[in-house]
Amino acid sequence: MKGSIFAAAALRRDASASVWSSAAPAIPEETCGCTTKVITYYGSATLVPVGVDATSVPTTSTPVPESTSTLTSTVHSTSTSTLTVTVSASSSVAPVASSTAVATTSTSTVELPTADVLTFSTTGVYTIPATTITVYDTTTVCGATSTEVPSGTVTYGGVTTVVSTATTVTCPYATVKTSGTTVTSVIETTTYVCPSAGTYTVVAPTTTSVPTSTVLVYPTPQTITPGTYTQDETTVTVTRTDYTYICPVATESLASTTAAAVTTTAVSVPTTEAVTTTAAATTSTAAPVVSSASSASSSSSSSTTSSSSSTSTATIPTELGEGQYGMTYSPYTSAGDCKTKAAVLADLTVIQGKGFNLIRVYSTDCSGLEYIGAACKELGLTMILGVYIDSTGTSAAQEQVDEIAAWAEWSLVDLLVVGNEAVSAGYVDAATLASFITSSAATFAAAGYTGLVTTTEPIDIWQSYGESALCDVVDLVGANIHPFFNADTTAAEAGTFAKAEFELLEEICGKNVLNLETGWPNAGDANGDAVPGVAQQKTAIEALVKIAGSKSIFFSYADDTWKSPGEFDVEQHWGCASVF
């Protein structure tokens, strides 16, 4: 993800082909590489127990005890060999309340954690019981991906692969098997002979028609690593009967940290509690119960629960003038690797020392919620938090939405930005982005967020699609205003240029406007009168601070040397912390 986040800055001027078909919005396909085995996986992958007594679940990870019953699932291979996957649960775990569950015994078994897909027959307040299971072997199961789609014909799923030479490709993919009225999600693999270099459709996508706008949920492969997976009891306020809720759960494997989720097939019963007006119902997710991090998990869970019902008291600026509203930050090293937690804290300490109280983050990768969130809490900073949409479209971005909703440290968040130049880069069309903003805002609200939500695009996208698609779904107008990319603007005129764009943007939606990304490159090639350089950057930023700084986020903390040079060879040279 990180490789494409800031590459969008270069793509803003080169519209690429849309990922949607002309007939209807299409959900991006999966991609895969090449392996040597052909294995078909079968078996339901969506049942886990409900009604867990959390206090009776062991807090340490131990080998499977001999007295514990296990569920053994045989994976049938095209060869003569078989692979056996064993998953065990504590005897305190209750069986699934489902017509497909086995009879209740004193010791029950559970299947692997996948996405928690819940449907509700009526609106109201629903309580989802706490759930804890332990996984002892790495395996692949069916997860769930959701995306909101308009009415009409929709294409989703499928697998494509790109090869540089003739080769045989073996790809796992998720699908469903129907038997009567029972639909089971399964993982299968297929072998495809690629005769020469090129792009091949290994698994054909699925096309369906939906009568009205709805949330489409479809299976996707998901790898589960050993660890204990815990989901706290949560409360969801259901305001739409046509919306599908997918509840994530934080996970931590015994060897490494891996995202996953817990599943229940039982629909929660509405509680008799009235909805309060002081805060929206929350969806909180606890950290996994692992012996090496038990105390940290407890602290994280407590922090999440307490902050879910609170929102930052910071005020979004409405007056344009002198100031320095915030600075963008990406947690990557010069080589493009993820920075450590200590390095993130050191960077944010420098930013705070420059007089900034707010940072803008583009996505949740590199443990951004954990590392950047912790640093902001320690330093007293707040965040503009982003959901990044890349070439994979909104289905992949939904994972970030779910992560943010589960994290729910709303006291640190001033604004949520869904998409950064996603339309101008050609990753989605304006209508699809608008639909995704709406569904994301609903997810955030259900998790307790009461603040503002927007997206950010250059002015030409707002002029083309603001009134028709975007204005009605945002709480304010977010724009990336870069004077350098206007060939008639000198460094000294950067502030005046930004002010003029503010005035034009305010007329489009009639809403408050924020400049969510602005600055000037310190090296590269000239763009007409716009000349990059250290001295020019200082001049431009001083002009921006004086005229439009009160509503501008400055890009960026440091040079991004891991990027490609981009247009005018400037994409690596926007670091500006030294100017302040």
Side-chain angles (χ1 to χ4, degrees):
M1 178 184 296
K2 63 178 181 292
S4 59
I5 287 177
F6 295 98
L11 291 174
R12 68 170 63 86
R13 292 152 305 272
D14 300 310
S16 61
S18 172
V19 298
W20 307 114
S21 67
S22 58
I27 300 167
E29 300 173 333
E30 302 169 25
T31 58
C32 68
C34 301
T35 59
T36 57
K37 295 188 297 182
V38 180
I39 300 175
T40 300
Y41 296 79
Y42 291 101
S44 59
T46 58
L47 302 180
V48 300
V50 296
V52 178
D53 179 3
T55 60
S56 65
V57 178
T59 58
T60 58
S61 298
T62 59
V64 182
E66 294 181 1
S67 60
T68 300
S69 298
T70 61
L71 172 67
T72 302
S73 173
T74 301
V75 182
H76 300 284
S77 172
T78 54
S79 67
T80 57
S81 62
T82 62
L83 171 67
T84 299
V85 178
T86 302
V87 182
S88 298
S90 166
S91 61
S92 64
V93 178
V96 174
S98 169
S99 59
T100 59
V102 296
T104 304
T105 60
S106 59
T107 301
S108 62
T109 60
V110 297
E111 298 196 23
L112 295 174
T114 58
D116 190 358
V117 180
L118 300 178
T119 58
F120 304 95
S121 57
T122 61
T123 60
V125 180
Y126 291 78
T127 297
I128 304 170
T131 306
T132 297
I133 64 174
T134 300
V135 177
Y136 291 93
D137 296 284
T138 299
T139 191
T140 299
V141 298
C142 278
T145 297
S146 70
T147 186
E148 186 159 346
V149 297
S151 60
T153 302
V154 179
T155 300
Y156 65 94
V159 180
T160 62
T161 188
V162 179
V163 298
S164 58
T165 187
T167 187
T168 299
V169 178
T170 302
C171 293
Y173 66 97
T175 187
V176 294
K177 296 293 184 180
T178 303
S179 177
T181 59
T182 301
V183 178
T184 304
S185 298
V186 298
I187 296 291
E188 295 187 352
T189 60
T190 185
T191 300
Y192 192 95
V193 178
C194 306
S196 59
T199 301
Y200 297 88
T201 299
V202 180
V203 178
T206 300
T207 299
T208 188
S209 295
V210 293
T212 61
S213 175
T214 187
V215 175
L216 182 66
V217 180
Y218 56 98
T220 52
Q222 180 179 353
T223 299
I224 305 299
T225 56
T228 300
Y229 299 79
T230 300
Q231 177 173 287
D232 284 348
E233 178 181 290
T234 60
T235 302
V236 175
T237 300
V238 178
T239 59
R240 291 174 50 185
T241 57
D242 62 342
Y243 189 81
T244 301
Y245 294 79
I246 298 181
C247 301
V249 64
T251 69
E252 184 171 329
S253 70
L254 302 182
S256 62
T257 301
T258 306
V262 173
T263 298
T264 177
T265 57
V267 176
S268 304
V269 178
T271 66
T272 57
E273 299 174 358
V275 180
T276 63
T277 58
T278 55
T282 62
T283 302
S284 59
T285 302
V289 184
V290 181
S291 59
S292 62
S294 58
S295 61
S297 297
S298 175
S299 173
S300 173
S301 176
S302 174
S303 173
T304 300
T305 302
S306 63
S307 63
S308 294
S309 60
S310 62
T311 298
S312 172
T313 58
T315 302
I316 300 295
T318 57
E319 298 297 326
L320 187 65
E322 186 173 1
Q324 50 185 75
Y325 178 39
M327 177 171 281
T328 68
Y329 179 74
S330 57
Y332 313 128
T333 66
S334 59
D337 299 321
C338 294
K339 288 189 175 182
T340 64
K341 187 174 184 179
V344 169
L345 176 59
D347 289 344
L348 266 59
T349 300
V350 172
I351 293 176
Q352 182 193 48
K354 300 291 184 178
F356 291 93
N357 297 314
L358 171 75
I359 62 167
R360 180 189 171 196
V361 182
Y362 290 82
S363 72
T364 62
D365 61 341
C366 284
S367 302
L369 296 175
E370 178 186 356
Y371 291 177
I372 300 175
C376 286
K377 182 178 291 186
E378 180 174 337
L379 298 171
L381 303 177
T382 55
M383 308 165 66
I384 291 180
L385 192 55
V387 175
Y388 190 75
I389 301 171
D390 60 15
S391 59
T392 60
T394 58
S395 58
Q398 180 65 43
E399 297 178 8
Q400 300 172 60
V401 173
D402 295 339
E403 284 184 66
I404 294 170
W407 176 69
E409 294 278 0
W410 305 129
S411 62
L412 299 175
V413 181
D414 283 6
L415 176 67
L416 289 169
V417 180
V418 181
N420 180 75
E421 299 186 352
V423 176
S424 63
Y427 296 149
V428 293
D429 57 37
T432 300
L433 176 61
S435 178
F436 187 60
I437 293 170
T438 300
S439 65
S440 298
T443 300
F444 298 141
Y449 180 66
T450 59
L452 305 179
V453 179
T454 190
T455 188
T456 185
E457 292 284 350
I459 190 172
D460 61 309
I461 299 300
W462 285 105
Q463 289 172 327
S464 299
Y465 306 107
E467 293 184 4
S468 63
L470 299 177
C471 288
D472 290 341
V473 299
V474 297
D475 296 313
L476 56 82
V477 175
N480 290 350
I481 302 176
H482 281 287
F484 175 80
F485 292 109
N486 184 292
D488 297 325
T489 302
T490 66
E493 296 168 334
T496 303
F497 177 87
K499 181 181 179 181
E501 291 220 343
F502 265 101
E503 293 171 348
L504 291 172
L505 287 161
E506 288 168 351
E507 296 176 357
I508 297 172
C509 296
K511 295 182 177 181
N512 188 22
V513 177
L514 290 183
N515 182 6
L516 293 177
E517 186 182 293
T518 195
W520 196 272
N522 55 52
D525 300 328
N527 173 28
D529 292 338
V531 179
V534 174
Q536 289 86 347
Q537 182 187 59
K538 185 175 187 298
T539 298
I541 288 181
E542 287 176 348
L544 287 165
V545 167
K546 184 175 182 179
I547 298 177
S550 64
K551 298 175 70 175
S552 295
I553 305 295
F554 291 91
F555 177 78
S556 62
Y557 166 65
D559 282 348
D560 297 315
T561 55
W562 49 270
K563 290 187 194 176
S564 59
E567 189 177 17
F568 305 115
D569 291 331
V570 299
E571 293 303 325
Q572 299 175 340
H573 306 294
W574 292 82
C576 64
S578 60
V579 176
F580 293 92

